[in-house]
């Protein structure tokens, strides 16, 4: 369950405090010329420390490509192996957490499931794992660009992040994504619907709690007569028709209809606070966890790069043999 | 993409107006005694015509099991094949739709993708296909019951359905699901998280537009200090700990923590109205679609049985080898 | 593990003495006009009782198609569900076998693995399950014919079958298959090599003990200088080149090279003899199994239809998105 | 198609002349203590240059593990990422091959399929890719040893390799494998039969042309009365029964019966000769390929380590959830 996708498949590995993370992107089309500067830009968008109020960890996150590319950077159609070294492991920061179940973290569930006490910094559950998703998404972005498909995402603030940070608190937030330029026909019935695949992809991101597309939650409160997307013939439109409105969010019956696909992902607040936290350890003893370690008061702020990556992987996968 | 699951896999077939629908449930545990009366009850919960204001179509939907069961109804561990005959096809009702793209239906996207004009009544895109999901979910329910796991779902009204129906209109609605009795440890990192799998499952249901679990959308507006689920040791609890609150919705890091798993699915209004509708046909000609055919003014009302089925399939799949 | 293939996937169900067997063929191309008479011919080729010295069981094996086809027999691109009723179950013939481990059958291994004593007539292990493979293969044959690809197989006698039968004995045999008209490029490195996929397919057939392609076993005894397949440019050849010899059996590096693909499958003798057989039962008691039930003295004789079906499924799967 | 297995899955990457090869082993059990010296021994068994008459290339092939292991070498249950650097690329040796289709190599089929002229030294088709299989197999060997299962393989000479080498020629050969200590019940009907999985695994190895298990090819020439494996109760045997003979090769109905599983893989001669070879280039021009580059006169000689690795991966995969 460390593999995402069917036609273009990303298999990942790596713990946040091991020597490296990485992945294998298999099924990627041959003959795509990769611009490594653009890969670097995508990696930087994800990097913590780039934005105020996100974690000060400043690793450069260089992607080393090990296969699948010719000497001049053209994809060969063979699996693309890549690694990202962990340069700034500072696991000392996490010393206070060893053997302790931090509230609202995966510490307790991982410990119960695997029986292994390796959760300093989150191990495999850490958001650090998304570094591989962004690297692979960056390649998909370049291939999709050749087909006129673009993906972008932006953070929507719900509470003042400065205020949360100054209180040692954290806050939730929203990321809105949009996919432009999709042809008609992307998505597979019955269990590969475009929005079902997107939902699964987005809910794989740490701290995501809800997903909606098009009118989303509001649809449930609507009358049918108010939300019909009427279509009219339009020779400039992807499939020969244009829709006058987009309540559907660009998807009908699980298949893209040529309109922009828009969706929102709702993120909970970072569970770690810069305050003392009540907790229990693996021996059942009550402990106070001190405020320590790296800290993003709002995980959603850093999420747009990851939302983009997962949407890119999803769309590339579905479009591979179209 | 007509297969759901990995360890217990449901593969489905059938069009709404063909001779039969059905499926193969592969990987189901051996030695489970099936109560066919209970399967029937689950099928009836889904049946239209059972509730006021849902479609008057009244097929009995008998499931014929063809394999995988001993003479006395005990599962053999071999694939369980089953079919449900379409007894009440009345495709005449759909005559007015032939070659016409009904608004907010999958007609246009299916036509563009497959180039086949077989969409009277929805064909493969019809909610009728869910009859196989419910049959398979009914078997999963019986196996999960032996492990103390139960799944239930209920409809939450947002607008008066009577009012919508009397106007020839339709309305959206909400279905809330809850999974009780889950042990700690259900869900697989990174791409098999319990809520990611549930999201994909729920977004496979026709007309679903949003999914949330636990605090869901509200999480995005919360401060971290207000939504911590504190844990305390409790020998009666699944994993030795109980949580004082359940903002997490029973899932942390994608893995169940022993608390109830609750989630909501938001459904859009039925796209077909009992009014004349503007549309275009496959020749690009403007047409008026008359009010005709079967009609559920609120698809969400019939959805609880389907939400339960998909949750049952998801949980059974994840628990198969625990 | 009841599913074969990736792009065109056959999922099967059914026990030899249950009400029906069948399958779902998912991913089959749309717009293929099916000739049902030809499907019937393929089913008849498999039927026992058609040849002298094969089992006298004479069920007609009618395939009932339940979905995936338009009214005039054109594939829709949706999953094709089909069933074959067991009309001639005569399980009384197997009464003497109940609870007894017949020599060289799967009785003991199935019983040990599943703990279920349902092996009269072989249950899921019976060669009867191949009826679904032949039905699905028949559809693949018709699609592949539109691309100029044909598959045929023939039985090669090793011992006189009449002699074996008159002694109440059984004998092994060989089936040779050939795939003609394949374009260059069928097969996927590294674990989807054409011959690896064929080997797995053929070794799925009951009683198969060995697989070879091209020079096969003889290759191991050859010098490299004697078995080079020299190529020469030829505008009439599939890929612009023709090979002067075909030691490679039409496959190089796991990928078809445009030459005929030929292979052999070696079958062991039918384990059931028309003699008394020493055996043990599930209680550990020694028993004598009397000569009874249907009997093919040479399973290989009936295997060509099955070898063809599995080759057709393999090739169709690999060519689906070429 | 660069992934092998279902429960324990190896996904691989790497070209013979790129910076590194490697893989991700996902699904491997947690809590297995790895002995890295033993991994090294397995890698050395594969290394060319270790035996007379195999290629003089002498890379050490160190495996660098990047994830999935605790600091003291215990598996965590998370994916195990590893890489092997190519230290001795000497692609100059292959200069004479650029753009030329070497006889009986994958050059022509890869070129036709992918349109990319990257086949110096074999690229992805090179036997060098098996280095990742051996590394992953080495981990499986250590887990299986804790269950009493061992795998070994040996080379069987068919022609004098010295003679072939002195003539600038090459020869085929045979590798025999045996799996000891298997419990009863390994293998999955219908398409996951133990011998079908082994056949696919072995036919994935470069130059393999035939696979047989148990009596294999000879079965086809046998009478049933001569090859019955009679069973007798034996409390010391895996499943409570022992077989007096093993014509079945330890497998009945695709499932292990507790006896040793033995099989043979037949390899063709190395296609490259140390002689001038007639060939064509990508422009259709006739060329003479000079004798150059590294050379194994008998690929089968080096194959036992690879045969063992593939058998280990196959068995570990099938036993993961037993």
């Amino acid at each position: 369950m460390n593999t995402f996708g069917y036609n273009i498949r990303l298999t990942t590995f790596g713990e946040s405090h091991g020597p490296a993370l990485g992945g294998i992107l298999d099924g990627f089309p041959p003959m795509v010329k990769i611009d490594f500067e653009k890969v670097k830009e995508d990696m930087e968008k994800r990097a913590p420390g780039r934005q105020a109020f996100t974690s000060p960890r400043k690793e450069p996150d260089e992607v080393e490509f090990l296969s699948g590319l010719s000497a001049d950077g053209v994809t060969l159609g063979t699996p693309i192996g890549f690694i990202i070294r962990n340069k700034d492991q500072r696991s000392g920061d996490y010393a206070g957490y060893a053997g302790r179940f931090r509230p609202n973290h995966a510490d307790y569930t991982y410990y119960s499931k695997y029986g292994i006490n390796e959760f300093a910094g989150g191990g495999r559950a850490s958001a650090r794992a998304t570094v591989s998703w962004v690297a692979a998404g960056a390649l998909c972005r370049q291939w999709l660009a050749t087909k006129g498909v673009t993906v972008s995402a932006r953070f929507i603030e719900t509470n003042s992040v400065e205020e949360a940070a100054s209180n040692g608190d954290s806050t939730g937030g929203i990321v809105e994504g949009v996919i432009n330029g999709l042809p008609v026909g992307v998505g597979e019935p019955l269990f590969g619907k475009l929005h079902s695949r997107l939902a699964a992809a987005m809910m794989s991101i740490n701290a995501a709690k809800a997903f909606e597309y098009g009118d989303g939650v509001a649809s449930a409160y609507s009358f049918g007569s108010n939300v019909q997307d009427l279509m009219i013939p339009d020779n400039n439109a992807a499939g020969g028709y244009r829709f006058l409105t987009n309540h559907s969010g660009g998807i009908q019956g699980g298949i893209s209809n040529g309109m922009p696909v828009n969706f929102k992902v709702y993120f909970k607040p970072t569970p770690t606070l810069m305050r003392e936290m009540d907790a229990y350890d693996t021996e059942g003893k009550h402990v106070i966890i001190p405020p320590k370690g790296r800290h993003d008061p709002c995980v959603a702020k850093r999420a747009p790069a990851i939302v983009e990556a997962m949407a890119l992987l999803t769309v590339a996968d579905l479009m591979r043999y179209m």
Side-chain angles (χ1 to χ4, degrees), chain A residues 142-291:
Chain A
Q142 297 191 27
W143 175 56
L144 289 172
T146 68
K147 300 184 163 281
V149 178
T150 60
V151 172
S152 61
R154 68 187 183 94
F155 168 65
I156 299 174
E157 188 175 273
T158 52
N159 292 309
S160 162
V161 183
E162 289 88 340
E163 188 190 320
S166 66
N167 293 338
D169 206 342
S170 63
T171 177
I174 304 171
V175 174
E176 184 179 47
V178 62
I179 307 168
N180 280 299
L182 268 194
V184 183
V186 180
E188 300 294 328
L190 295 181
F191 300 118
K193 292 191 169 103
L194 177 51
H195 56 273
S196 171
R197 293 290 309 276
L198 282 174
M202 296 308 148
M203 297 307 265
S204 298
I205 303 175
N206 297 37
K209 298 292 288 187
F211 169 85
E212 65 175 356
Y213 78 101
D215 279 6
V217 168
S219 303
Y221 300 91
S222 304
F223 288 100
S225 55
N226 294 332
V227 295
Q228 286 196 325
D229 291 326
L230 295 180
M231 60 198 287
I232 55 167
D234 181 343
N235 289 332
N236 295 322
Y241 285 92
R242 182 164 53 87
F243 291 83
L244 298 178
T245 51
N246 194 18
H247 298 287
S248 297
I251 304 174
Q252 285 169 331
I255 298 172
S256 63
N257 69 1
M259 296 290 283
V261 171
N262 53 61
F263 60 89
K264 287 205 184 99
V265 190
Y266 295 84
F267 291 90
K268 71 173 184 181
T270 313
T272 305
L273 306 182
M274 285 296 104
R275 301 176 181 181
E276 292 193 338
M277 294 184 294
D278 281 298
Y280 283 85
D281 67 13
T282 55
E283 308 299 316
K285 216 179 61 178
H286 179 264
V287 293
I288 301 289
I289 297 187

Side-chain angles (χ1 to χ4, degrees), chain A residues 95-114:
Chain A
Y97 297 158
R100 296 168 170 207
F101 302 130
R102 290 167 295 163
N104 289 27
H105 274 82
D107 297 345
Y108 172 62
T109 52
Y110 266 65
Y111 180 76
S112 300
K113 189 178 179 83
Y114 298 108

Side-chain angles (χ1 to χ4, degrees), chain A residues 37-78:
Chain A
E37 277 307 306
K38 286 191 176 160
V39 173
K40 211 172 153 181
E41 283 168 25
D42 275 12
M43 296 303 290
E44 274 170 7
K45 264 195 274 181
R46 181 200 164 278
R50 184 179 147 273
Q51 300 149 323
F53 305 109
T54 59
S55 159
R57 182 170 174 165
K58 283 191 203 300
E59 76 276 40
D61 279 341
E62 281 171 58
V63 187
E64 182 185 1
F65 290 99
L66 299 173
S67 68
L69 292 158
S70 70
D72 52 344
V74 176
T75 59
L76 299 172
T78 57

